[in-house]
Amino acid sequence: MEAFRIHTGRVLPMRRSNIDTDQLIPVRFLKRLTRTGYADGLFAAWREEPGFELDRPEYQGATVLVAGPEFGTGSSREHAVWSLLDHGFRVVISSRFADIFRGNSLKNGLLTIQLDQEVVEALWERAEQAPDQPVTVDLEALQVRAADLTVDFELDPYHRMRLLEGLDEIDATLRYEDAVRAFEATRPSWLPTVEVA
Amino acid sequence: MAGQTLAEKVWNAHLVSRQSGEPDILYIDMHLLHEVTSPQAFDGLALRGRKVRHPELTLATEDHNVPTSDIFRPIADPVSRAQVDAIRENCRKFGVKIHALGDPGQGIVHVIGPETGLTQPGMTVVCGDSHTSTHGAFGALAFGIGTSEVEHVMATQTLRLRPFRTMAVNLIGTPQPGVTAKDIILAVIGRIGTGGGQGHVIEYRGEVLAGMSMEARMTICNMSIEAGARAGMIAPDETTFGYLKGRTYAPKDERWDAAVEYWRTLRTDEDAVFDRVVDVDISELTPYVSWGTNPGQVAPLAATVPAPGDFADPVKRAACERALEYMDLTPGQPLAGIAVDTVFLGSCTNGRLEDLRAAAEVLRGRRVAGGVRMLVVPGSERVREAAELEGLHQVFLDAGAEWRNAGCSMCMAMNPDFLQPGQRAASTSNRNFEGRQGAGSRTHLVSPAVAAATAVAGALCSPGALPAAESLPAQHTAEV
Ligand code: SF4
């Protein structure tokens, strides 16, 4: 995972709620066996509609997606996160995220920030009026800064630390091997096991 | 000390380590895999030279990509075939048991876990699939995870998580005859919204559950994710134990007794406090259906299509406007009577034997309307076999429906079963998102009984509104 400290980029405003995982990446793009190569799948159905936000000239190169509530609802597919990253997004701001999507994003270095809907609206307006104006997302200071707007955000300190350092979570957990073994010794004998292939 | 909720009890019983400032390390009792969300995780393991820590606590199946007809021919779509080949190869390399296409144990991951007794009360069950919440019907803490977490579980048999918040959904009253578990859960989602359960485990409570079969409880827990929740749970009881007894992976003899003794402790203490409590009166409920493009956009089938102006919240108003356009519906139009092209009976929500029985009951002596295609897809090969033993397949075939092999099928358009742009389906699945059942597809979520009635009427219809069925030759009315 790439570390995340501070990022400055332009905003793609998406005035929509319930941007579900089937919109983020339709199932026909889920058949790859890799973690990359999903840029074409991002919003594939909506991209067929003329005038879709993502393809408007003024938002080309935007790296901070700002959307309405219930972002990432639906399936657990991590491909949704991979497609956003592959397309070049580093940050998604929404007034509410689906839990699994949020967990997936933070494990892949896509910073998801939950802000009040009023702030989301303020960011939408600014981006629509001045698409060239970048925002800065500062994970060390836990701040989003636009030209005339500074807002603090919260992030679980553990996820913040992992993102800042680009840490591998499996390595971190493997350090608890003794605790895991001790736990395993106490598991009741009735618990099911499957034949090993 | 205050009492604990069911979810907290299961969490605490799986706590490997709790360090301040870090998420808990939670032990995972069973890890289920399918072909779509596992290849990158296996790859990650291989790349680092890691193994699957406990292949005996891991089980794989093929469900999302697989065709549901001509299953013994090579999979036609080369990309689907590559994904299926990959999981077979990965399972072989890492020693994981897999129910491949054509195997009598194959089926949708959330159907085969419960039906083999692999899902038991008090367990932690995870899968790279959001509808893992289904398994919570047994009083297990079961939730969907992403591919990075799949890799983490394979490598460590644990997950790093902050405890979920707890939410009680109290189902108050007794439902009217003809109201099913699907109607109840659609109404619950309509009430709390698609984000209402965010961060929470929902425990469903209420007298109505005592009389509910495990299948019905699974339908309810299955759609917890549609309310935004991490998981849904129902405290285990005699129905749960009775269902499990004798199943392949259920404990035997003294171990069964010890297990049941423990399982009986798995209920929320009287003095436990939930972070959130929602009461939903189900006594006046009638069959429910979705009209929009998220599962919170639902209404009684007897109602009319809402207007954007009915919603005070501007976000909901905009969502309604967009949904009506996509669904090609007009405010004020009665929901009953909306013509459909296709009826899909199946999925991990409603692809179990009881669901097939409920639909067959309606279809017996009736025919699917001309021009309507009805697809009946059992959730597992075992469900298919059991249904055929009862002659249900004959009821479907006689009515003019298609009878298929097990898989996710038209729940999501990842296999050969999907809708054409603009087509409209009544579907017993769980998601009505834009394009979910094929690019440009339109989905109305319904119960199995409403699906069957809709197939007969050719338009959204409740079973009670159908004209009487013809009387039938004897073999079709065999006891079920
Ligand atoms: S039936 Fe549908 S919801 Fe269930 S696992 Fe398959 S694709 Fe997912």
Side-chain angles (χ1 to χ4, degrees):
Chain A
M1 186 180 75
E2 221 181 297
F4 190 115
R5 303 190 92 79
I6 188 162
H7 173 79
T8 299
R10 285 186 292 115
V11 168
L12 171 67
M14 285 187 79
R15 284 187 181 269
R16 301 172 191 243
S17 60
N18 278 285
I19 297 181
D20 60 70
T21 48
D22 279 78
Q23 307 321 315
L24 281 162
I25 183 162
V27 281
R28 64 180 190 281
F29 294 96
L30 304 190
K31 295 184 181 177
R32 300 178 66 92
L33 304 173
T34 56
R35 274 184 153 97
T36 55
Y38 296 96
D40 289 350
L42 182 67
F43 295 123
W46 286 347
R47 294 186 79 171
E48 286 169 20
E49 298 173 12
F52 176 56
E53 297 92 304
L54 187 71
D55 293 322
R56 279 193 217 147
E58 64 269 34
Y59 300 129
Q60 291 316 296
T63 53
V64 179
L65 196 162
V66 181
E70 319 323 343
F71 191 93
T73 49
S75 101
S76 64
R77 63 186 73 149
E78 207 154 306
H79 313 67
V81 170
W82 300 330
S83 69
L84 285 162
L85 284 168
D86 284 350
H87 193 274
F89 288 105
R90 294 301 318 271
V91 180
V92 181
I93 296 173
S94 160
S95 48
R96 191 154 60 193
F97 290 97
D99 294 317
I100 304 180
F101 175 84
R102 183 117 204 253
N104 288 344
S105 68
L106 297 175
K107 291 203 194 303
N108 285 275
L110 177 73
L111 179 57
T112 40
I113 300 175
Q114 186 162 318
L115 295 174
D116 291 344
Q117 182 62 22
E118 298 93 78
V119 181
V120 166
E121 310 250 355
L123 290 169
W124 281 343
E125 273 159 33
R126 279 168 178 75
E128 285 161 358
Q129 280 158 16
D132 291 338
Q133 281 293 321
V135 297
T136 293
V137 175
D138 185 339
L139 183 58
E140 286 187 322
L142 292 170
Q143 262 182 357
V144 176
R145 294 188 291 266
D148 58 337
L149 178 86
T150 297
V151 280
D152 296 332
F153 66 89
E154 288 176 19
L155 188 71
D156 183 309
Y158 170 81
H159 288 305
R160 177 169 170 266
M161 180 272 294
R162 277 191 50 249
L163 281 167
L164 286 172
E165 292 174 19
L167 253 192
D168 180 82
E169 193 167 47
I170 294 178
D171 279 339
T173 303
L174 287 173
R175 287 195 232 122
Y176 289 88
E177 175 64 18
D178 292 348
V180 174
R181 268 178 205 277
F183 181 89
E184 285 175 335
T186 66
R187 295 180 73 236
S189 65
W190 69 70
L191 286 167
T193 54
V194 176
E195 317 75 85
V196 171
Chain B
M1 195 179 101
Q4 296 178 348
T5 63
L6 168 61
E8 289 162 343
K9 284 184 184 179
V10 179
W11 186 283
N12 292 335
H14 290 83
L15 199 54
V16 171
S17 165
R18 175 170 283 174
Q19 304 288 326
S20 80
E22 287 194 16
D24 290 348
I25 301 184
L26 196 73
Y27 201 81
I28 301 304
D29 289 323
M30 190 53 61
H31 186 195
L32 303 169
L33 299 173
H34 67 77
E35 76 277 18
V36 184
T37 54
S38 64
Q40 297 83 359
F42 276 118
D43 248 25
L45 286 189
L47 218 67
R48 302 291 209 92
R50 289 172 178 146
K51 292 201 207 118
V52 173
R53 181 180 177 93
H54 286 299
E56 81 282 10
L57 303 182
T58 314
L59 177 68
T61 187
E62 299 168 0
D63 52 9
H64 285 65
N65 272 286
V66 298
T68 57
S69 56
D70 292 328
I71 62 167
F72 292 104
R73 291 220 218 120
I75 297 178
D77 173 9
V79 212
S80 285
R81 193 165 65 224
Q83 208 162 58
V84 166
D85 287 346
I87 195 168
R88 290 180 192 173
E89 175 61 14
N90 281 323
C91 285
R92 199 187 53 73
K93 272 207 314 240
F94 288 88
V96 172
K97 182 179 168 74
I98 179 166
H99 288 299
L101 187 62
D103 169 328
Q106 181 264 343
I108 305 173
V109 63
H110 312 308
V111 177
I112 67 172
E115 77 183 1
T116 53
L118 200 57
T119 305
Q120 297 170 17
M123 286 173 63
T124 46
V125 178
V126 299
C127 174
D129 192 281
S130 58
H131 290 100
T132 310
S133 58
T134 313
H135 307 255
F138 290 79
L141 181 62
F143 50 93
I145 56 178
T147 296
S148 296
E149 289 175 311
V150 168
E151 187 178 333
H152 192 279
V153 176
M154 292 202 288
T156 69
Q157 204 58 36
T158 68
L159 277 174
R160 308 295 296 260
L161 289 164
R162 304 260 180 211
F164 301 142
R165 276 165 289 170
T166 58
M167 176 168 172
V169 169
N170 295 317
L171 303 172
I172 307 214
T174 320
Q176 311 279 331
V179 171
T180 69
K182 183 65 163 285
D183 304 310
I184 294 175
I185 189 63
L186 287 176
V188 167
I189 298 162
R191 169 70 192 285
I192 61 183
T194 54
Q198 192 209 30
H200 292 77
V201 180
I202 296 177
E203 182 183 336
Y204 300 95
R205 299 157 66 81
E207 263 167 49
V208 62
L209 296 168
M212 251 187 215
S213 67
M214 291 313 298
E215 282 91 339
R217 295 179 192 187
M218 284 187 254
T219 301
I220 290 190
C221 288
N222 173 275
M223 291 192 73
S224 304
I225 184 77
E226 271 64 54
R230 281 313 300 262
M233 295 179 95
I234 293 172
D237 61 7
E238 296 306 318
T239 305
T240 320
F241 312 149
Y243 178 97
L244 283 171
K245 189 151 191 157
R247 294 198 184 241
T248 311
Y249 292 111
K252 310 268 161 0
D253 309 319
E254 324 79 72
R255 289 194 299 153
W256 169 262
D257 299 332
V260 172
E261 198 185 318
Y262 172 63
W263 294 346
R264 287 191 203 283
T265 68
L266 295 172
R267 39 191 55 253
T268 292
D269 295 328
E270 295 279 338
D271 55 343
V273 183
F274 288 92
D275 294 312
R276 216 182 135 197
V277 178
V278 177
D279 292 342
V280 181
D281 185 353
I282 55 167
S283 55
E284 301 293 321
L285 217 63
T286 52
Y288 248 65
V289 53
S290 70
W291 51 265
T293 52
N294 76 57
Q297 293 175 323
V298 289
L301 177 52
T304 55
V305 174
D310 297 347
F311 299 90
D313 174 0
V315 172
K316 286 204 175 124
R317 196 181 317 137
C320 172
E321 202 164 330
R322 183 167 170 95
L324 294 188
E325 191 192 321
Y326 182 86
M327 294 294 291
D328 191 25
L329 296 174
T330 319
Q333 178 182 4
L335 285 162
I338 294 175
V340 302
D341 311 286
T342 304
V343 173
F344 171 58
L345 173 61
S347 87
C348 59
T349 312
N350 282 128
R352 299 181 181 80
L353 189 58
E354 181 178 287
D355 303 310
L356 302 187
R357 284 177 181 162
E361 183 100 5
V362 175
L363 282 177
R364 218 172 250 120
R366 295 186 166 113
R367 285 202 57 83
V368 174
V372 172
R373 173 187 189 205
M374 180 175 189
L375 222 62
V376 185
V377 187
S380 72
E381 283 298 294
R382 281 197 189 81
V383 168
R384 187 177 63 82
E385 220 176 282
E388 291 188 357
L389 265 173
E390 291 183 8
L392 299 182
H393 65 309
Q394 207 52 54
V395 178
F396 294 123
L397 289 168
D398 288 352
E402 295 174 40
W403 176 245
R404 295 296 190 86
N405 286 95
C408 294
S409 183
M410 208 181 266
C411 175
M412 55 135 53
M414 198 162 191
N415 53 66
D417 307 334
F418 56 86
L419 297 176
Q420 297 302 319
Q423 279 192 328
R424 187 184 298 277
S427 177
T428 64
S429 54
N430 43 50
R431 289 193 176 137
N432 51 343
F433 297 156
E434 291 183 24
R436 171 76 177 180
Q437 298 188 291
S441 61
R442 300 179 174 129
T443 303
H444 294 276
L445 302 175
V446 295
S447 72
V450 170
T454 299
V456 173
L460 292 179
C461 180
S462 86
L466 285 179
E470 294 160 31
S471 57
L472 294 169
Q475 81 260 28
H476 292 167
T477 51
E479 278 293 302
V480 288

